[in-house]
Amino acid sequence: MGVEIERKFLLTGDDWRSLGEPVLLRQGYLSSQPDRVVRVRIEGERATMTIKGRSSGATRGEWEYEIPLADANELLDQLCEKPIIEKYRRRIPHAGLTWEVDEFLGANKGLMFAEVELESEDQQFGKPSWIGEEVTHDARYYNSSLIRLPFSQW
Amino acid sequence: MGVEIERKFLLTGDDWRSLGEPVLLRQGYLSSQPDRVVRVRIEGERATMTIKGRSSGATRGEWEYEIPLADANELLDQLCEKPIIEKYRRRIPHAGLTWEVDEFLGANKGLMFAEVELESEDQQFGKPSWIGEEVTHDARYYNSSLIRLPFSQW
């Protein structure tokens, strides 16, 4: 098991757009229960299956396996809960950390936020100027929530 | 994707007991929804994660990945739906096919059945003398059902 400590923020302005190359991510869920999320994701030619336990604060157990790309396409098309989530991700380095900025498509078009992965819950870090309000603990922003209640229906 | 075609039968008598070495299987579910089953299984030192789609007749899409044993133990103990299923499995060859005979423990103690994997739905095959009534289509006998309504509560 790895442990994932992430904080999530809304964006202000558009300065982040020019700071990273957008990569298309397609992902879906075999389970979107908060106790046991099972995610299938394709990023470029790389496909993974990721299992996440229930969040405790900003910390969450995580297990990840690479799977064949063809399998991932079958699982996304045939098995995963609908809708699939599609988003452009930009990876933007800032002050020694990497910010992942997600810009959603489809039923979640218009939604954008950034996440940063930390080593510990109390780690100090510098925020880029385009980082806004923190939404780490707002369950509406969980990817697994965005298939049940997409941003277009908020 | 592989395709799994299996038929399932109750047992008659005890002759099967001496025909195969029992191996302990521990398995649990990250999703037990009929549309998308995600199973974690440990058999001896080998651990797998298996995804199964909805059954259509005796046929079911199946994707399987080997995972580290330590991960499987963590997933079974921390994340999988409870109760975990534990059973002794015997593999018994008969007339060119291998029968998997499962004898359940815990909340499903007393339950026993045999499964045979086929190449096609209409494949002919010889049944051992200890094979009884067919229960392929009885959802109570799905492993994923046996965590919600164990045999002890039938």
Side-chain angles (χ1 to χ4, degrees), chain B residues 1 5-8 14 16 23 27 29 40-41 49 57 73 79 95 98 102 106 113 116 132 135 142 145 148-149:
Chain B
M1 178 183 69
I5 305 173
E6 279 186 343
R7 292 177 64 180
K8 188 182 292 187
D14 261 343
W16 51 272
V23 177
Q27 68 187 46
Y29 293 85
V40 177
R41 175 186 275 175
M49 179 163 311
N73 273 310
L79 252 70
T98 298
D102 287 348
F113 56 66
V116 65
V135 294
Y142 295 174
S145 299
R148 265 188 286 273
L149 188 67

Side-chain angles (χ1 to χ4, degrees), chain B residues 3-40:
Chain B
V3 172
E4 184 187 48
I5 305 173
E6 279 186 343
R7 292 177 64 180
K8 188 182 292 187
F9 298 85
L10 299 183
L11 306 175
T12 59
D14 261 343
D15 289 354
W16 51 272
R17 283 194 186 278
S18 58
L19 298 175
E21 198 62 39
V23 177
L24 182 64
L25 264 64
R26 292 181 68 220
Q27 68 187 46
Y29 293 85
L30 294 166
S31 166
S32 59
Q33 289 180 61
D35 278 341
R36 50 189 83 84
V37 167
V38 182
R39 183 188 74 197
V40 177

Side-chain angles (χ1 to χ4, degrees), chain A residues 113-137:
Chain A
F113 55 66
E115 288 179 302
V116 65
E117 186 159 356
L118 305 176
E119 299 290 322
S120 68
E121 293 220 20
D122 57 1
Q123 182 178 339
Q124 300 298 306
F125 57 97
K127 287 182 207 161
S129 61
W130 38 268
I131 285 297
E133 181 194 349
E134 179 161 13
V135 293
T136 302
H137 301 293

Side-chain angles (χ1 to χ4, degrees), chain A residues 65, chain B residues 26-27 39-50 64-76:
Chain A
Y65 310 104
Chain B
R26 292 181 68 220
Q27 68 187 46
R39 183 188 74 197
V40 177
R41 175 186 275 175
I42 296 176
E43 178 174 350
E45 295 299 304
R46 183 169 184 261
T48 50
M49 179 163 311
T50 306
E64 186 162 275
Y65 309 104
E66 194 158 344
I67 64 172
L69 180 62
D71 287 14
N73 273 310
E74 289 173 341
L75 291 169
L76 284 171

Side-chain angles (χ1 to χ4, degrees), chain A residues 33-74:
Chain A
Q33 290 179 60
D35 279 340
R36 51 189 82 85
V37 167
V38 182
R39 185 188 72 197
V40 177
R41 175 185 277 175
I42 297 176
E43 178 174 350
E45 296 298 304
R46 184 170 184 263
T48 49
M49 179 164 310
T50 307
I51 293 97
K52 299 185 186 203
R54 183 175 279 280
S55 300
S56 160
T59 305
R60 195 169 204 191
E62 181 176 305
W63 297 258
E64 186 163 274
Y65 310 104
E66 194 158 342
I67 64 172
L69 181 61
D71 287 15
N73 274 311
E74 289 173 341

